[in-house]
């Protein structure tokens, strides 16, 4: 069974303080790893898809990286508007995506 | 603007009632999904559909039913058999089910049992 573990559960940063969120996964054959952002009371918003180890993708202050066992979401010089819950999910085939429980990020001005 | 709409945003159900949550997409996606989100848990798949008039059970289908009569629409009925229906329900769509296709989500419906 595919598994996704995200850490930390919650992270509090000062504005401008860079950090990383971790997504560890167990899947028989990874075909895709997704990152989403979710604001309170709203649906998740798609950020990135990573397909293979070594791949990196960037969007504004966010950069996602992928190894054979985990993915990191690096946040550079975060702003208060980056506060949200960040979800990681994996697709290993068999028509199913497995989601982690998320990291709740709070950026304090 | 292409996207996914869900209605209503908030829904209240009395014990023993069936309620139906609406999901519509204009992205021309073949696949549609229903998830349930509870505090401290990852999204759990209720049902998914790859094509019109076909749908498959997910991990927690008991107490729920769906239909897919049109490509654009995938309504979810929460029946009285669902013992703990209070949750945040999310509808999503993607180009297909078979493949690492990113899913796009609607804004969600929060269901509360009174």
């Amino acid at each position: 069974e595919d598994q996704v573990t995200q850490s930390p559960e919650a992270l509090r940063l000062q504005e401008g303080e860079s950090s990383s969120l971790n997504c560890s996964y167990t899947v028989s054959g990874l075909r895709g790893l997704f990152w989403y952002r979710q604001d309170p009371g709203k649906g998740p918003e798609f950020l990135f898809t990573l397909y293979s180890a070594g791949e990196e993708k960037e969007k504004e202050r966010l950069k996602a990286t992928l190894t054979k066992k985990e993915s990191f979401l690096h946040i550079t010089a975060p702003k208060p508007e980056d506060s949200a819950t960040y979800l990681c999910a994996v697709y290993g085939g068999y028509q199913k995506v497995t989601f982690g429980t998320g990291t709740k990020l709070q950026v304090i001005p | 603007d292409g996207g996914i709409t869900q209605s209503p945003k908030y829904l209240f159900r009395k014990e023993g009632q069936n309620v139906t949550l609406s999901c519509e997409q204009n992205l021309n996606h073949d696949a549609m999904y229903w998830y349930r989100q509870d505090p401290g848990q990852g999204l759990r798949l209720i049902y998914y559909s790859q094509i019109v008039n076909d749908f498959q059970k997910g991990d927690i289908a008991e107490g729920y039913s769906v239909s897919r009569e049109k490509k654009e629409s995938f309504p979810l009925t929460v029946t009285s058999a669902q013992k703990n229906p209070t949750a945040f329900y999310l509808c999503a769509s993607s180009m297909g089910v078979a493949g690492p296709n990113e899913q796009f989500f609607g804004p969600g419906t929060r269901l509360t049992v009174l």
Side-chain angles (χ1 to χ4, degrees):
Chain A
E1 185 177 322
D2 298 345
Q3 290 188 329
V4 177
T5 303
Q6 292 189 246
S7 61
E9 288 186 12
L11 182 61
R12 196 175 183 194
L13 299 174
Q14 290 292 131
E15 184 172 2
E17 179 187 3
S18 301
S19 187
S20 296
L21 282 54
N22 178 264
C23 171
S24 298
Y25 62 87
T26 304
V27 61
S28 57
L30 181 71
R31 296 181 60 190
L33 183 141
F34 311 99
W35 281 100
Y36 289 86
R37 169 195 170 124
Q38 185 175 23
D39 293 305
K42 298 188 176 181
E45 174 189 345
F46 171 73
L47 294 174
F48 305 109
T49 305
L50 301 170
Y51 297 97
S52 59
E55 188 175 2
E56 299 183 352
K57 287 195 176 173
E58 288 187 68
K59 181 180 180 179
E60 296 181 358
R61 295 175 293 280
L62 301 176
K63 183 167 87 171
T65 62
L66 181 63
T67 72
K68 290 186 178 179
K69 294 182 178 180
E70 56 193 349
S71 177
F72 292 94
L73 185 65
H74 307 278
I75 303 176
T76 302
K79 298 181 178 182
E81 53 262 41
D82 294 322
S83 297
T85 295
Y86 291 85
L87 303 175
C88 173
V90 297
Y91 177 76
Y94 307 107
Q95 304 175 347
K96 185 183 174 189
V97 174
T98 301
F99 284 83
T101 55
T103 293
K104 185 175 181 179
L105 174 66
Q106 183 183 14
V107 182
I108 302 163
Chain B
D1 264 347
I4 302 176
T5 57
Q6 292 185 240
S7 63
K9 185 173 175 68
Y10 299 98
L11 186 57
F12 299 91
R13 191 192 94 168
K14 294 182 180 178
E15 295 278 353
Q17 275 186 338
N18 292 353
V19 291
T20 297
L21 283 59
S22 170
C23 177
E24 304 274 335
Q25 56 99 0
N26 61 2
L27 299 168
N28 200 32
H29 285 166
D30 289 317
M32 296 187 74
Y33 313 79
W34 274 105
Y35 290 93
R36 170 180 171 140
Q37 187 174 38
D38 295 282
Q41 297 194 42
L43 274 67
R44 292 184 290 169
L45 183 64
I46 304 172
Y47 269 98
Y48 67 96
S49 168
Q50 300 181 71
I51 196 169
V52 174
N53 292 323
D54 181 65
F55 47 83
Q56 307 295 328
K57 292 183 179 180
D59 298 321
I60 56 165
E62 186 175 349
Y64 300 97
S65 65
V66 294
S67 63
R68 186 91 185 272
E69 297 177 359
K70 298 187 299 181
K71 186 175 184 177
E72 301 80 16
S73 178
F74 191 40
L76 173 74
T77 297
V78 183
T79 74
S80 58
Q82 170 51 237
K83 298 306 178 188
N84 185 24
T86 294
F88 190 49
Y89 290 87
L90 289 161
C91 178
S93 71
S94 70
M95 289 180 61
V97 175
N101 299 303
E102 51 267 22
Q103 296 178 13
F104 294 90
F105 287 83
T109 292
R110 185 165 298 280
L111 173 63
T112 303
V113 174
L114 301 175

